[in-house]
Amino acid sequence: MTGKNDAINESLSALMDGEHTELDLRRVLKAAEAEGQESSVMSTWANYHKQEQIHNKELDAVCNDDFLAGIQAAIADEELQMQPPRRQSAFHQFAAKGAMAACFTFVFLIGASQLPFGKAPESVDATLAADSVSPSAVVPSGFELPPLNARTVSSVPSASSNAIIAQPRTTAVVNPREFVLSPEMQERLHRMIMRHTEETSANGGLGVLPFSRVDTLDEPEGR
Amino acid sequence: MRNFPNLLSVVGACILFMITQAHAQQPKSEAAPSAEFLLSQLGEALRSQNYQGVFTFEYGGKLETFGIDHRVEDGVEKELLYRTTGSKSGFLRDGLLNCNTLGGNLINGQQLALSNGDHYAIKRNYQLRLAGQDRIAGRDAWAVQLLPKDEFRYGLSFAIDKQTNLLLRYVVFDVQKNTALERLQFATLVTDADTALLEDLERFGEPTYVQRVVSKQCVGERYNPSGHSPWKPTWLPPGFLLTGYSYSESEGHMETYTDGLTAFSIFVSESQSREGEARQAKQGLSSKGAITALLSLLPHEESMVSIAIVGDIPPSVAQRITLSLTRLQAVEESAGNDD
């Protein structure tokens, strides 16, 4: 109970200071209604007003003790003003809706003109841009960025450049068997890759760049 | 009604904001070139300009770095590619400046006249598009994508330097799996270098083992390959043209095909059947980055035929080519019987 009175007093104080909220006003009015004609809340409020008027030398101000009715009337007027006009011209409604539609249409046109089209490139472009934002990450452009300590290019495990992993293939070949490469075959494979790269580079348009794919060359003995 | 002017103000501000944003996003004085034009400039730049650089090569979780030196001296094109990680090795090539290669012509946008009267160009198999801009090795670049029009080849992405039209980044990706297979990207690029070629070799320690590689194969505008293997594929992915044929005791018959951007080679070696050895087909697959190597050992008549498909093509394509290989003599005999 004491707490409730403190809250009401605080609300009264806030009302006098002009720092009240809607809750403060409602609290005071509710308390005054509950107490009826002999409301101590209203008498206290009235005294605050008189003191303020004396302080501000507003002695001629009419002090209307009927605060409750006056405040309720003020609240009623404010609510009436906040209500939207019941009638709005059809033209204004149409113009408002049309303006909003035009605005959104314009936004869409501008935004769509900036987007690339095409199925496959969109997914590539998204991560291409992302990769270029983080140049320190060793990850390929245009694709999902794995954690930095993960593989860079391709999530598909690939054979080591120095070890050939033979995998059984399910093909139309009769009785496919696992191909275990002998060291001689591995050496032959390396030579074939080298010859293929030579041919590709000699007939291509990228110069010697394809040789980046070739494994480390063994330095001749004695050098 | 009182709120209508406020609403109009909001709408007007919204439209004005969008106009300014759209204007700000457009480069004021730079018109975007076409992907075809950029690609045509790339080949010429790589061939005729002097440049030095260091680039990374990534594949399958590995990263290697290389240096490259390209210059033209007295009409002769000199190219040097050397490792800066691992062994002190490299590749050196001399060539003529005005040597047009088959792949170079296709990258330049030229159409090749085929023997059947048809014409071939890169755009037949790739969709070229300008994918925007980027900044690589401290240089502004255009991003060009080459999207395959079928499932028989990989996609490519180039970053081309705006100032010099040189290549700054090269990515090979599997469109089907949306996965990058390998990436080559420059970290530094210097044009009009003053240092001599040998100084680049000395920079990375002596001795440096450098292997000379074959010179460029100069071609004209008409497609006219010479030589062919007795083993021919009855099926080829569309747009691949034979670039050359050779034979060696160690690797056997070799034919190389290219569509201008990617290539594969077919190696066929006929071996004597070993007594007691099970004559069963075997296959093995290896890959490094975008390179696929499919080795097959197939029985043929009284012997075994060793077939290898090496190239930057999907493994399924390599396998299909392998299964379509037929000895030319058998085809000719079959045609004679039909007559």
Side-chain angles (χ1 to χ4, degrees), chain A residues 103 114 121 131 139 141 143 153-154 165 171 173 175 177 179 188 191 194-196 199 201-204 213-216, chain B residues 14 25 83 87 93 101 103 129 147 173 178 180-183 211 217 246 248 251 256 265 280-281 283 285 288 306 319:
Chain A
C103 183
Q114 304 301 321
D131 187 67
V139 291
S141 293
F143 302 90
V153 179
S154 176
I165 299 176
T171 68
V173 178
N175 296 330
R177 296 185 60 184
F179 203 163
R188 180 168 178 255
R191 290 198 305 269
M194 179 64 187
R195 288 196 59 198
H196 164 74
E199 187 71 19
S201 175
N203 289 280
R213 296 167 167 172
V214 178
D215 289 337
T216 302
Chain B
C14 179
Q25 289 178 8
R83 290 181 174 273
S87 68
R93 181 166 69 194
T101 63
R129 64 179 293 268
L147 304 174
F173 56 91
N178 196 24
L181 300 172
E182 63 184 28
R183 177 170 74 170
Q211 177 175 340
Q217 304 297 319
S246 64
S248 66
E251 282 78 50
T256 302
S265 297
Q280 288 184 324
Q283 277 194 335
L285 178 68
K288 176 185 176 182
S306 172
Q319 198 162 55

Tab-separated table of all heavy atoms in Angstrom, chain A residues 103 114 121 131 139 141 143 153-154 165 171 173 175 177 179 188 191 194-196 199 201-204 213-216, chain B residues 14 25 83 87 93 101 103 129 147 173 178 180-183 211 217 246 248 251 256 265 280-281 283 285 288 306 319:
chain	number	residue	atom	x	y	z
A	103	CYS	N	6.717	3.965	-56.937
A	103	CYS	CA	7.991	3.957	-56.213
A	103	CYS	C	8.579	2.559	-56.180
A	103	CYS	O	9.746	2.356	-56.471
A	103	CYS	CB	7.780	4.502	-54.797
A	103	CYS	SG	9.308	4.598	-53.860
A	114	GLN	N	20.765	-4.072	-62.210
A	114	GLN	CA	22.102	-4.258	-61.662
A	114	GLN	C	22.444	-5.723	-61.495
A	114	GLN	O	23.581	-6.063	-61.230
A	114	GLN	CB	22.201	-3.568	-60.284
A	114	GLN	CG	21.861	-2.109	-60.313
A	114	GLN	CD	22.735	-1.315	-61.237
A	114	GLN	OE1	23.913	-1.546	-61.321
A	114	GLN	NE2	22.147	-0.370	-61.957
A	121	PRO	N	25.935	-18.733	-63.833
A	121	PRO	CA	26.847	-17.664	-63.410
A	121	PRO	C	26.464	-17.031	-62.100
A	121	PRO	O	27.315	-16.562	-61.385
A	121	PRO	CB	26.748	-16.642	-64.531
A	121	PRO	CG	26.273	-17.395	-65.685
A	121	PRO	CD	25.393	-18.476	-65.156
A	131	ASP	N	34.957	-14.163	-52.486
A	131	ASP	CA	36.356	-14.506	-52.387
A	131	ASP	C	37.229	-13.296	-52.578
A	131	ASP	O	38.250	-13.146	-51.959
A	131	ASP	CB	36.696	-15.576	-53.431
A	131	ASP	CG	38.090	-16.092	-53.274
A	131	ASP	OD1	38.330	-16.746	-52.253
A	131	ASP	OD2	38.922	-15.834	-54.131
A	139	VAL	N	41.502	-19.531	-51.032
A	139	VAL	CA	40.348	-20.270	-51.508
A	139	VAL	C	40.052	-19.815	-52.917
A	139	VAL	O	40.413	-18.699	-53.291
A	139	VAL	CB	39.112	-20.028	-50.615
A	139	VAL	CG1	39.324	-20.667	-49.269
A	139	VAL	CG2	38.834	-18.553	-50.468
A	141	SER	N	38.115	-18.536	-56.203
A	141	SER	CA	37.044	-17.593	-56.442
A	141	SER	C	35.828	-18.313	-56.963
A	141	SER	O	35.937	-19.287	-57.672
A	141	SER	CB	37.490	-16.573	-57.484
A	141	SER	OG	38.508	-15.784	-56.965
A	143	PHE	N	33.303	-19.900	-55.519
A	143	PHE	CA	32.709	-21.101	-54.961
A	143	PHE	C	32.622	-20.986	-53.470
A	143	PHE	O	33.116	-20.060	-52.874
A	143	PHE	CB	33.544	-22.316	-55.366
A	143	PHE	CG	33.640	-22.419	-56.842
A	143	PHE	CD1	34.654	-21.803	-57.516
A	143	PHE	CD2	32.665	-23.095	-57.563
A	143	PHE	CE1	34.711	-21.862	-58.899
A	143	PHE	CE2	32.735	-23.154	-58.937
A	143	PHE	CZ	33.763	-22.548	-59.600
A	153	VAL	N	41.084	-25.661	-53.448
A	153	VAL	CA	40.335	-25.878	-54.669
A	153	VAL	C	39.710	-27.237	-54.642
A	153	VAL	O	40.391	-28.216	-54.439
A	153	VAL	CB	41.254	-25.763	-55.901
A	153	VAL	CG1	40.488	-26.023	-57.160
A	153	VAL	CG2	41.885	-24.384	-55.925
A	154	SER	N	38.455	-27.315	-54.828
A	154	SER	CA	37.696	-28.545	-54.976
A	154	SER	C	37.597	-29.331	-53.692
A	154	SER	O	38.573	-29.579	-53.002
A	154	SER	CB	38.310	-29.438	-56.063
A	154	SER	OG	37.610	-30.660	-56.126
A	165	ILE	N	46.604	-43.036	-57.462
A	165	ILE	CA	45.637	-43.879	-56.766
A	165	ILE	C	44.755	-44.515	-57.810
A	165	ILE	O	44.061	-43.824	-58.549
A	165	ILE	CB	44.798	-43.054	-55.785
A	165	ILE	CG1	45.702	-42.413	-54.730
A	165	ILE	CG2	43.744	-43.926	-55.128
A	165	ILE	CD1	44.964	-41.496	-53.783
A	171	THR	N	32.276	-49.507	-65.539
A	171	THR	CA	32.084	-49.098	-66.918
A	171	THR	C	31.555	-50.280	-67.697
A	171	THR	O	31.320	-51.347	-67.156
A	171	THR	CB	33.406	-48.621	-67.543
A	171	THR	OG1	34.279	-49.758	-67.667
A	171	THR	CG2	34.083	-47.605	-66.661
A	173	VAL	N	33.266	-51.861	-69.663
A	173	VAL	CA	34.370	-52.771	-69.909
A	173	VAL	C	34.125	-54.048	-69.124
A	173	VAL	O	33.708	-54.024	-67.980
A	173	VAL	CB	35.696	-52.115	-69.478
A	173	VAL	CG1	36.850	-53.068	-69.677
A	173	VAL	CG2	35.913	-50.823	-70.256
A	175	ASN	N	34.496	-57.064	-66.862
A	175	ASN	CA	35.278	-57.405	-65.682
A	175	ASN	C	36.327	-56.356	-65.338
A	175	ASN	O	37.527	-56.635	-65.350
A	175	ASN	CB	35.981	-58.758	-65.902
A	175	ASN	CG	34.980	-59.884	-66.057
A	175	ASN	OD1	33.887	-59.819	-65.491
A	175	ASN	ND2	35.321	-60.902	-66.827
A	177	ARG	N	38.833	-54.350	-63.321
A	177	ARG	CA	39.578	-54.659	-62.128
A	177	ARG	C	40.402	-53.443	-61.736
A	177	ARG	O	40.702	-52.581	-62.536
A	177	ARG	CB	40.475	-55.864	-62.362
A	177	ARG	CG	39.713	-57.155	-62.654
A	177	ARG	CD	40.665	-58.323	-62.755
A	177	ARG	NE	41.415	-58.498	-61.496
A	177	ARG	CZ	42.369	-59.411	-61.355
A	177	ARG	NH1	42.726	-60.168	-62.365
A	177	ARG	NH2	42.992	-59.546	-60.206
A	179	PHE	N	43.257	-51.158	-61.079
A	179	PHE	CA	44.477	-50.984	-61.828
A	179	PHE	C	45.552	-50.514	-60.864
A	179	PHE	O	45.573	-49.375	-60.443
A	179	PHE	CB	44.247	-49.918	-62.913
A	179	PHE	CG	45.204	-50.025	-64.063
A	179	PHE	CD1	44.923	-49.382	-65.248
A	179	PHE	CD2	46.381	-50.755	-63.977
A	179	PHE	CE1	45.783	-49.474	-66.327
A	179	PHE	CE2	47.243	-50.844	-65.036
A	179	PHE	CZ	46.937	-50.207	-66.222
A	188	ARG	N	55.509	-43.650	-66.700
A	188	ARG	CA	54.921	-43.451	-68.033
A	188	ARG	C	53.810	-42.414	-67.982
A	188	ARG	O	53.684	-41.584	-68.885
A	188	ARG	CB	54.379	-44.780	-68.545
A	188	ARG	CG	53.742	-44.684	-69.917
A	188	ARG	CD	53.480	-46.056	-70.520
A	188	ARG	NE	52.817	-45.930	-71.813
A	188	ARG	CZ	51.527	-46.177	-72.021
A	188	ARG	NH1	50.775	-46.601	-71.027
A	188	ARG	NH2	50.992	-46.013	-73.211
A	191	ARG	N	55.271	-39.010	-67.937
A	191	ARG	CA	55.747	-38.609	-69.268
A	191	ARG	C	54.583	-38.204	-70.168
A	191	ARG	O	54.682	-37.256	-70.950
A	191	ARG	CB	56.546	-39.742	-69.906
A	191	ARG	CG	57.898	-40.031	-69.263
A	191	ARG	CD	58.784	-40.827	-70.208
A	191	ARG	NE	58.118	-42.051	-70.636
A	191	ARG	CZ	58.225	-43.219	-70.012
A	191	ARG	NH1	58.963	-43.320	-68.920
A	191	ARG	NH2	57.596	-44.295	-70.470
A	194	MET	N	53.444	-34.800	-69.328
A	194	MET	CA	54.403	-33.827	-69.835
A	194	MET	C	54.218	-33.630	-71.339
A	194	MET	O	54.190	-32.505	-71.835
A	194	MET	CB	55.827	-34.310	-69.542
A	194	MET	CG	56.920	-33.389	-70.059
A	194	MET	SD	56.888	-31.749	-69.256
A	194	MET	CE	58.114	-30.917	-70.242
A	195	ARG	N	54.063	-34.715	-72.084
A	195	ARG	CA	53.892	-34.586	-73.537
A	195	ARG	C	52.579	-33.898	-73.863
A	195	ARG	O	52.505	-33.095	-74.800
A	195	ARG	CB	53.944	-35.972	-74.175
A	195	ARG	CG	55.337	-36.577	-74.191
A	195	ARG	CD	55.418	-37.739	-75.161
A	195	ARG	NE	55.080	-37.321	-76.517
A	195	ARG	CZ	54.744	-38.154	-77.490
A	195	ARG	NH1	54.677	-39.456	-77.254
A	195	ARG	NH2	54.487	-37.715	-78.696
A	196	HIS	N	51.546	-34.234	-73.123
A	196	HIS	CA	50.253	-33.582	-73.341
A	196	HIS	C	50.365	-32.077	-73.091
A	196	HIS	O	49.844	-31.260	-73.862
A	196	HIS	CB	49.196	-34.189	-72.419
A	196	HIS	CG	47.954	-33.359	-72.298
A	196	HIS	ND1	47.003	-33.273	-73.303
A	196	HIS	CD2	47.510	-32.537	-71.310
A	196	HIS	CE1	46.039	-32.462	-72.927
A	196	HIS	NE2	46.316	-31.996	-71.728
A	199	GLU	N	52.196	-30.347	-75.933
A	199	GLU	CA	51.344	-30.201	-77.103
A	199	GLU	C	50.296	-29.120	-76.880
A	199	GLU	O	50.003	-28.307	-77.772
A	199	GLU	CB	50.676	-31.544	-77.405
A	199	GLU	CG	49.882	-31.599	-78.685
A	199	GLU	CD	50.753	-31.569	-79.927
A	199	GLU	OE1	51.962	-31.866	-79.821
A	199	GLU	OE2	50.220	-31.246	-80.994
A	201	SER	N	50.457	-26.560	-74.815
A	201	SER	CA	51.074	-25.239	-74.767
A	201	SER	C	51.502	-24.776	-76.148
A	201	SER	O	51.375	-23.605	-76.487
A	201	SER	CB	52.287	-25.270	-73.826
A	201	SER	OG	52.973	-24.042	-73.845
A	202	ALA	N	52.000	-25.707	-76.966
A	202	ALA	CA	52.467	-25.340	-78.300
A	202	ALA	C	51.315	-24.938	-79.208
A	202	ALA	O	51.511	-24.156	-80.143
A	202	ALA	CB	53.238	-26.503	-78.910
A	203	ASN	N	50.129	-25.453	-78.962
A	203	ASN	CA	48.983	-25.163	-79.814
A	203	ASN	C	47.955	-24.254	-79.151
A	203	ASN	O	46.936	-23.943	-79.766
A	203	ASN	CB	48.286	-26.462	-80.223
A	203	ASN	CG	49.109	-27.270	-81.203
A	203	ASN	OD1	49.135	-26.984	-82.398
A	203	ASN	ND2	49.805	-28.264	-80.695
A	204	GLY	N	48.222	-23.878	-77.913
A	204	GLY	CA	47.248	-23.058	-77.195
A	204	GLY	C	47.574	-21.580	-77.265
A	204	GLY	O	48.515	-21.164	-77.945
A	213	ARG	N	50.986	-27.192	-64.332
A	213	ARG	CA	50.353	-28.448	-63.921
A	213	ARG	C	51.329	-29.608	-63.857
A	213	ARG	O	51.016	-30.645	-63.268
A	213	ARG	CB	49.244	-28.811	-64.902
A	213	ARG	CG	48.100	-27.821	-64.947
A	213	ARG	CD	47.241	-28.086	-66.151
A	213	ARG	NE	45.968	-27.373	-66.107
A	213	ARG	CZ	45.115	-27.330	-67.113
A	213	ARG	NH1	45.393	-27.942	-68.245
A	213	ARG	NH2	43.976	-26.661	-66.994
A	214	VAL	N	52.473	-29.451	-64.483
A	214	VAL	CA	53.400	-30.568	-64.583
A	214	VAL	C	54.111	-30.741	-63.246
A	214	VAL	O	54.491	-29.766	-62.595
A	214	VAL	CB	54.411	-30.325	-65.709
A	214	VAL	CG1	55.410	-31.471	-65.794
A	214	VAL	CG2	53.683	-30.154	-67.025
A	215	ASP	N	54.314	-31.998	-62.869
A	215	ASP	CA	54.982	-32.287	-61.616
A	215	ASP	C	56.420	-31.805	-61.637
A	215	ASP	O	56.972	-31.478	-62.671
A	215	ASP	CB	54.956	-33.792	-61.353
A	215	ASP	CG	53.559	-34.253	-61.017
A	215	ASP	OD1	52.762	-33.414	-60.583
A	215	ASP	OD2	53.257	-35.431	-61.217
A	216	THR	N	56.967	-31.824	-60.451
A	216	THR	CA	58.349	-31.393	-60.293
A	216	THR	C	59.268	-32.219	-61.169
A	216	THR	O	59.182	-33.441	-61.203
A	216	THR	CB	58.772	-31.551	-58.827
A	216	THR	OG1	57.896	-30.802	-58.012
A	216	THR	CG2	60.187	-31.063	-58.625
B	14	CYS	N	11.969	9.025	-52.061
B	14	CYS	CA	12.362	7.658	-52.414
B	14	CYS	C	12.824	7.598	-53.862
B	14	CYS	O	13.848	7.001	-54.175
B	14	CYS	CB	11.179	6.715	-52.180
B	14	CYS	SG	11.518	4.995	-52.601
B	25	GLN	N	26.135	4.114	-59.177
B	25	GLN	CA	26.666	2.794	-59.447
B	25	GLN	C	27.276	2.692	-60.824
B	25	GLN	O	28.037	1.777	-61.107
B	25	GLN	CB	25.563	1.746	-59.288
B	25	GLN	CG	25.154	1.552	-57.833
B	25	GLN	CD	24.032	0.560	-57.689
B	25	GLN	OE1	23.649	-0.089	-58.656
B	25	GLN	NE2	23.483	0.450	-56.494
B	83	ARG	N	59.757	-22.613	-60.922
B	83	ARG	CA	59.162	-22.823	-59.599
B	83	ARG	C	59.869	-21.964	-58.564
B	83	ARG	O	61.093	-21.850	-58.585
B	83	ARG	CB	59.271	-24.298	-59.198
B	83	ARG	CG	58.371	-25.213	-60.006
B	83	ARG	CD	58.505	-26.660	-59.556
B	83	ARG	NE	57.531	-27.505	-60.237
B	83	ARG	CZ	56.295	-27.702	-59.801
B	83	ARG	NH1	55.913	-27.139	-58.677
B	83	ARG	NH2	55.469	-28.468	-60.470
B	87	SER	N	61.444	-27.787	-56.070
B	87	SER	CA	62.708	-27.883	-56.789
B	87	SER	C	62.978	-26.622	-57.596
B	87	SER	O	62.063	-25.873	-57.942
B	87	SER	CB	62.673	-29.090	-57.735
B	87	SER	OG	61.737	-28.853	-58.769
B	93	ARG	N	61.159	-21.614	-73.346
B	93	ARG	CA	60.769	-21.795	-74.741
B	93	ARG	C	61.089	-20.539	-75.531
B	93	ARG	O	60.850	-19.421	-75.062
B	93	ARG	CB	59.282	-22.110	-74.861
B	93	ARG	CG	58.843	-22.328	-76.313
B	93	ARG	CD	57.479	-22.957	-76.402
B	93	ARG	NE	56.433	-22.048	-75.970
B	93	ARG	CZ	55.185	-22.435	-75.694
B	93	ARG	NH1	54.871	-23.695	-75.766
B	93	ARG	NH2	54.302	-21.548	-75.324
B	101	THR	N	48.895	-19.767	-83.144
B	101	THR	CA	48.568	-21.155	-82.850
B	101	THR	C	47.077	-21.389	-83.042
B	101	THR	O	46.287	-20.444	-83.122
B	101	THR	CB	48.970	-21.513	-81.417
B	101	THR	OG1	48.204	-20.696	-80.514
B	101	THR	CG2	50.450	-21.249	-81.184
B	103	GLY	N	44.926	-22.715	-80.873
B	103	GLY	CA	44.212	-22.201	-79.710
B	103	GLY	C	44.239	-20.688	-79.635
B	103	GLY	O	43.250	-20.054	-79.258
B	129	ARG	N	30.611	-14.262	-71.195
B	129	ARG	CA	29.928	-13.151	-70.528
B	129	ARG	C	30.910	-12.381	-69.670
B	129	ARG	O	31.861	-12.944	-69.111
B	129	ARG	CB	28.759	-13.648	-69.686
B	129	ARG	CG	29.121	-14.539	-68.527
B	129	ARG	CD	27.879	-14.940	-67.750
B	129	ARG	NE	27.259	-13.823	-67.078
B	129	ARG	CZ	27.549	-13.467	-65.822
B	129	ARG	NH1	28.421	-14.151	-65.127
B	129	ARG	NH2	26.953	-12.442	-65.257
B	147	LEU	N	31.230	-20.126	-70.002
B	147	LEU	CA	30.375	-21.184	-69.484
B	147	LEU	C	30.148	-22.222	-70.563
B	147	LEU	O	29.729	-21.891	-71.672
B	147	LEU	CB	29.046	-20.591	-69.024
B	147	LEU	CG	29.169	-19.480	-67.980
B	147	LEU	CD1	27.817	-18.869	-67.699
B	147	LEU	CD2	29.794	-20.001	-66.708
B	173	PHE	N	36.561	-24.584	-63.486
B	173	PHE	CA	35.565	-25.075	-62.539
B	173	PHE	C	34.613	-26.064	-63.203
B	173	PHE	O	34.350	-25.999	-64.405
B	173	PHE	CB	34.783	-23.910	-61.894
B	173	PHE	CG	34.114	-22.993	-62.882
B	173	PHE	CD1	32.813	-23.214	-63.298
B	173	PHE	CD2	34.775	-21.880	-63.388
B	173	PHE	CE1	32.188	-22.364	-64.195
B	173	PHE	CE2	34.162	-21.023	-64.282
B	173	PHE	CZ	32.868	-21.262	-64.682
B	178	ASN	N	29.614	-27.333	-59.395
B	178	ASN	CA	29.853	-26.002	-58.852
B	178	ASN	C	31.094	-25.996	-57.969
B	178	ASN	O	31.070	-25.507	-56.834
B	178	ASN	CB	28.625	-25.520	-58.070
B	178	ASN	CG	28.667	-24.027	-57.815
B	178	ASN	OD1	29.305	-23.283	-58.538
B	178	ASN	ND2	28.002	-23.580	-56.769
B	180	ALA	N	35.465	-25.447	-57.928
B	180	ALA	CA	36.682	-25.014	-58.596
B	180	ALA	C	37.686	-26.156	-58.559
B	180	ALA	O	37.897	-26.775	-57.518
B	180	ALA	CB	37.259	-23.777	-57.918
B	181	LEU	N	38.295	-26.425	-59.687
B	181	LEU	CA	39.256	-27.519	-59.786
B	181	LEU	C	40.682	-27.021	-59.657
B	181	LEU	O	41.526	-27.709	-59.086
B	181	LEU	CB	39.064	-28.253	-61.113
B	181	LEU	CG	37.675	-28.871	-61.303
B	181	LEU	CD1	37.524	-29.407	-62.719
B	181	LEU	CD2	37.444	-29.980	-60.291
B	182	GLU	N	40.960	-25.878	-60.195
B	182	GLU	CA	42.284	-25.303	-60.063
B	182	GLU	C	42.186	-23.807	-60.299
B	182	GLU	O	41.289	-23.322	-60.974
B	182	GLU	CB	43.282	-25.930	-61.048
B	182	GLU	CG	42.957	-25.715	-62.504
B	182	GLU	CD	43.923	-26.432	-63.437
B	182	GLU	OE1	44.486	-27.462	-63.041
B	182	GLU	OE2	44.115	-25.937	-64.565
B	183	ARG	N	43.163	-23.108	-59.703
B	183	ARG	CA	43.161	-21.660	-59.866
B	183	ARG	C	44.586	-21.183	-59.989
B	183	ARG	O	45.457	-21.563	-59.193
B	183	ARG	CB	42.481	-20.958	-58.698
B	183	ARG	CG	42.555	-19.432	-58.837
B	183	ARG	CD	41.701	-18.702	-57.850
B	183	ARG	NE	42.256	-18.723	-56.507
B	183	ARG	CZ	41.779	-17.991	-55.505
B	183	ARG	NH1	40.745	-17.222	-55.705
B	183	ARG	NH2	42.312	-18.078	-54.312
B	211	GLN	N	64.240	-26.899	-68.399
B	211	GLN	CA	64.000	-27.772	-69.543
B	211	GLN	C	63.444	-26.966	-70.701
B	211	GLN	O	62.480	-26.210	-70.541
B	211	GLN	CB	63.017	-28.883	-69.176
B	211	GLN	CG	62.667	-29.797	-70.348
B	211	GLN	CD	61.795	-30.955	-69.929
B	211	GLN	OE1	61.755	-31.298	-68.758
B	211	GLN	NE2	61.105	-31.547	-70.885
B	217	GLN	N	53.402	-24.241	-82.301
B	217	GLN	CA	53.001	-24.758	-83.603
B	217	GLN	C	52.208	-23.676	-84.332
B	217	GLN	O	51.078	-23.383	-83.988
B	217	GLN	CB	52.148	-26.018	-83.427
B	217	GLN	CG	52.812	-27.117	-82.611
B	217	GLN	CD	54.057	-27.640	-83.283
B	217	GLN	OE1	54.079	-27.831	-84.499
B	217	GLN	NE2	55.103	-27.875	-82.509
B	246	SER	N	51.602	-37.798	-83.072
B	246	SER	CA	52.996	-38.210	-83.007
B	246	SER	C	53.059	-39.628	-82.483
B	246	SER	O	52.080	-40.158	-81.947
B	246	SER	CB	53.799	-37.273	-82.089
B	246	SER	OG	53.330	-37.364	-80.750
B	248	SER	N	55.780	-42.474	-80.429
B	248	SER	CA	57.034	-42.762	-79.744
B	248	SER	C	56.978	-44.176	-79.231
B	248	SER	O	55.902	-44.734	-78.997
B	248	SER	CB	57.262	-41.777	-78.585
B	248	SER	OG	56.284	-41.951	-77.573
B	251	GLU	N	55.425	-44.105	-75.425
B	251	GLU	CA	54.006	-43.785	-75.207
B	251	GLU	C	53.103	-44.247	-76.341
B	251	GLU	O	51.896	-44.177	-76.222
B	251	GLU	CB	53.812	-42.278	-75.009
B	251	GLU	CG	54.192	-41.788	-73.618
B	251	GLU	CD	55.684	-41.654	-73.482
B	251	GLU	OE1	56.297	-41.024	-74.362
B	251	GLU	OE2	56.253	-42.178	-72.508
B	256	THR	N	46.246	-35.259	-80.010
B	256	THR	CA	45.778	-34.220	-79.101
B	256	THR	C	44.639	-33.464	-79.750
B	256	THR	O	44.716	-33.120	-80.933
B	256	THR	CB	46.918	-33.245	-78.733
B	256	THR	OG1	47.989	-33.980	-78.143
B	256	THR	CG2	46.438	-32.188	-77.744
B	265	SER	N	44.580	-35.506	-74.678
B	265	SER	CA	45.413	-36.332	-75.550
B	265	SER	C	45.042	-37.792	-75.362
B	265	SER	O	44.712	-38.219	-74.257
B	265	SER	CB	46.902	-36.131	-75.238
B	265	SER	OG	47.290	-34.797	-75.498
B	280	GLN	N	42.162	-59.346	-68.665
B	280	GLN	CA	40.944	-58.692	-68.211
B	280	GLN	C	41.151	-57.185	-68.238
B	280	GLN	O	42.238	-56.689	-67.985
B	280	GLN	CB	40.602	-59.126	-66.787
B	280	GLN	CG	40.103	-60.555	-66.704
B	280	GLN	CD	39.685	-60.928	-65.296
B	280	GLN	OE1	40.308	-60.494	-64.340
B	280	GLN	NE2	38.646	-61.739	-65.197
B	281	ALA	N	40.069	-56.535	-68.531
B	281	ALA	CA	40.143	-55.085	-68.626
B	281	ALA	C	40.387	-54.472	-67.257
B	281	ALA	O	39.864	-54.931	-66.241
B	281	ALA	CB	38.841	-54.544	-69.202
B	283	GLN	N	41.158	-50.556	-65.291
B	283	GLN	CA	41.155	-49.112	-65.439
B	283	GLN	C	41.631	-48.457	-64.158
B	283	GLN	O	41.466	-48.991	-63.063
B	283	GLN	CB	39.746	-48.591	-65.775
B	283	GLN	CG	39.385	-48.674	-67.235
B	283	GLN	CD	38.154	-47.849	-67.567
B	283	GLN	OE1	37.325	-47.594	-66.723
B	283	GLN	NE2	38.037	-47.432	-68.817
B	285	LEU	N	42.072	-44.284	-62.485
B	285	LEU	CA	41.798	-42.866	-62.693
B	285	LEU	C	42.642	-42.055	-61.730
B	285	LEU	O	42.740	-42.368	-60.541
B	285	LEU	CB	40.327	-42.562	-62.459
B	285	LEU	CG	39.898	-41.100	-62.601
B	285	LEU	CD1	40.003	-40.655	-64.051
B	285	LEU	CD2	38.470	-40.912	-62.105
B	288	LYS	N	44.657	-34.337	-61.129
B	288	LYS	CA	45.407	-33.280	-60.459
B	288	LYS	C	44.811	-31.963	-60.920
B	288	LYS	O	44.992	-31.568	-62.067
B	288	LYS	CB	46.894	-33.349	-60.801
B	288	LYS	CG	47.694	-32.199	-60.207
B	288	LYS	CD	49.144	-32.244	-60.662
B	288	LYS	CE	49.906	-31.038	-60.137
B	288	LYS	NZ	51.315	-31.029	-60.604
B	306	SER	N	46.994	-50.645	-74.292
B	306	SER	CA	47.048	-49.667	-73.203
B	306	SER	C	46.556	-48.334	-73.738
B	306	SER	O	47.103	-47.794	-74.699
B	306	SER	CB	48.487	-49.528	-72.682
B	306	SER	OG	48.575	-48.467	-71.757
B	319	GLN	N	36.224	-41.423	-70.180
B	319	GLN	CA	35.824	-42.821	-70.243
B	319	GLN	C	35.049	-43.112	-71.524
B	319	GLN	O	35.241	-44.152	-72.156
B	319	GLN	CB	34.977	-43.161	-69.028
B	319	GLN	CG	34.861	-44.653	-68.753
B	319	GLN	CD	34.400	-44.913	-67.345
B	319	GLN	OE1	33.359	-44.406	-66.958
B	319	GLN	NE2	35.164	-45.679	-66.596
